[in-house]
Amino acid sequence: DMSKLWQARSQLAAMKNKSAMRTLQNIVIAPEGHDLFWRDLACLHVIGAETGAIPETCSGSKPSPLAPLLTQLYAAGKWSEGDAETARTMLGKLAVDSEIPTMLRSEANAWETTIRAKE
């Protein structure tokens, strides 16, 4: 997965954006390693590319070092799609998760409050 991520970065540097996105999406959809860190980094690239819908595998639902960040980004995507309820639910779970750092719980709580205020 790590070598595929570097391959995608090389493709991006060569302006081969479609090839890079295919490589990244392959990591996202079917990571080969057990370490989901590389899959999560690929998710960040895919999300940052604004290619449309965020893949379900980038929802942060599986434990990994970047899962809380992916959950926030996935919730933001759901909110922008008009699904505020799903976004609030995801952020609410994150806001009370004692397994993650206080700062991330506070951010999730702030986003949940923002979404609630905008409804």
Side-chain angles (χ1 to χ4, degrees):
D1 293 333
M2 180 178 69
S3 65
K4 286 181 186 176
L5 186 64
W6 280 99
Q7 176 186 359
R9 290 175 50 118
S10 176
Q11 290 167 331
L12 287 170
M15 306 300 276
K16 297 179 180 177
N17 296 346
K18 287 183 181 181
S19 295
M21 289 312 298
R22 277 193 302 275
T23 302
L24 290 166
Q25 288 171 342
N26 285 337
I27 299 168
V28 167
I29 293 167
E32 292 181 22
H34 296 289
D35 183 356
L36 296 179
F37 178 74
W38 303 109
R39 189 249 2 233
D40 289 356
L41 285 177
C43 281
L44 292 175
H45 282 285
V46 170
I47 292 169
E50 299 180 27
T51 58
I54 298 171
E56 183 69 31
T57 52
C58 291
S59 67
S61 60
K62 292 187 178 181
S64 70
L66 297 175
L69 175 60
L70 288 177
T71 299
Q72 286 184 26
L73 293 171
Y74 193 78
K78 288 295 182 185
W79 184 29
S80 71
E81 293 170 2
D83 190 357
E85 184 177 339
T86 298
R88 277 195 333 271
T89 300
M90 293 177 77
L91 292 167
K93 288 178 184 176
L94 198 59
V96 297
D97 186 348
S98 62
E99 300 282 319
I100 64 171
T102 304
M103 182 184 83
L104 293 174
R105 289 195 312 263
S106 296
E107 286 176 0
N109 188 44
W111 280 113
E112 181 187 14
T113 303
T114 299
I115 292 170
R116 193 175 308 280
K118 298 287 182 179
E119 289 184 297

